Amino acid sequence: MTKPYLALGLAGPHLVELTESSALLSRWDALPVAFSVLGIDRIDGSLPASVTLASSAAGATLAGATKNGRFLIAAAPQRDHPYNIARRVVSLAHLSRGRSGLLIGVRDVYAPEGPRDAPAWGGAGLGGGAPLNAQTAYDAAFAVRALEQGWPYDSIIGNRETGILVESNRIVHVDLDNTFSIAGPLNAPAPATGASVIAWHAATVADLPPGNADGPIDLILGNAGSVPVVALGAEPPAGRFAGILLRPSLEQSVGELLDVAERWLGDGFASIPPGGTLRNALDLTEPPPLAPTLRAAFPAPKPHVSL
């Protein structure tokens, strides 16, 4: 039987503790776990802690200060339109060289709700808004995946002879019309390392994503998924799982979490070599490209004319 991998779940106070300590960062970076969730308490139904960091800001810090550690940032469309979530996901993928991904949630416990009739992202005061439910979160994940793929990385050719830097006709409108109406494209190219991993949290079967197997969700965390969550101090559950996500309480420290993780890794859990992309570490297939029939956002570039 294949050994399960180990993952870590960090809440707000743990992010503060980790980013303040170079010693803890070094230990975290060297640990052969599959990934860590930065700010899991944002989307798993927990009560908000007294201190926290923005998940994507913590991700940017870790991407720049470490070389090996892989992570998922936690985000929900409660405060952010999926276009903004996509920009953060793509930026982190470039910064981390593919070590990062997204854990999409229905609600963000640290975010205010928008208007009663449109609580998702309507609080930004930009108009619109959407219901705050699983379908909205799923559609946001769908949008993030499409937007990330809308500007192919290999369209950047830098041809000095022709003067064509980008094959701009390959940048497409994603043309989404579900919960969100989005034409795109995103103002950043896809990561060189491929599409970012998108995960979903499901504590029960009722929490599973509303879409199908061909949708944007690569990985399901929680007791209804392939990677159940285990409280720090509890024993690993019986059964066959792809992985186990070890989650400390707010009163437990990052040091305590790393101590137990090191012990579990030496006692039967699979060691995932540090470094490399998150998708490769989890042995996840690359999602299919966007349909070739999507509208080009720009005309084909023409070579420069020598004077």
Side-chain angles (χ1 to χ4, degrees), residues 209-221:
N212 55 46
D214 297 325
I217 306 303
D218 296 297
L219 180 69
I220 298 180
L221 310 180

Side-chain angles (χ1 to χ4, degrees), residues 70-170:
R70 295 171 290 262
F71 57 88
L72 296 168
I73 63 167
Q78 181 168 343
R79 176 169 50 191
D80 292 309
H81 191 280
Y83 192 95
N84 291 331
I85 297 176
R87 287 195 296 183
R88 294 174 186 173
V89 168
V90 173
S91 296
L92 283 172
H94 283 289
L95 285 170
S96 69
R97 293 179 172 83
R99 292 186 285 135
S100 60
L102 170 68
L103 174 59
I104 193 76
V106 175
R107 294 173 177 268
D108 182 339
V109 71
Y110 291 96
E113 289 193 9
R116 180 176 299 178
D117 57 343
W121 79 273
L126 302 176
L132 200 56
N133 56 30
Q135 187 63 53
T136 296
Y138 182 84
D139 288 347
F142 194 94
V144 169
R145 170 59 49 77
L147 286 165
E148 187 178 39
Q149 294 180 296
W151 180 348
Y153 180 81
D154 63 4
S155 69
I156 304 172
I157 59 173
N159 190 321
R160 295 184 179 183
E161 293 183 2
T162 64
I164 297 175
L165 302 181
V166 178
E167 295 173 332
S168 51
N169 55 307
R170 296 177 57 199

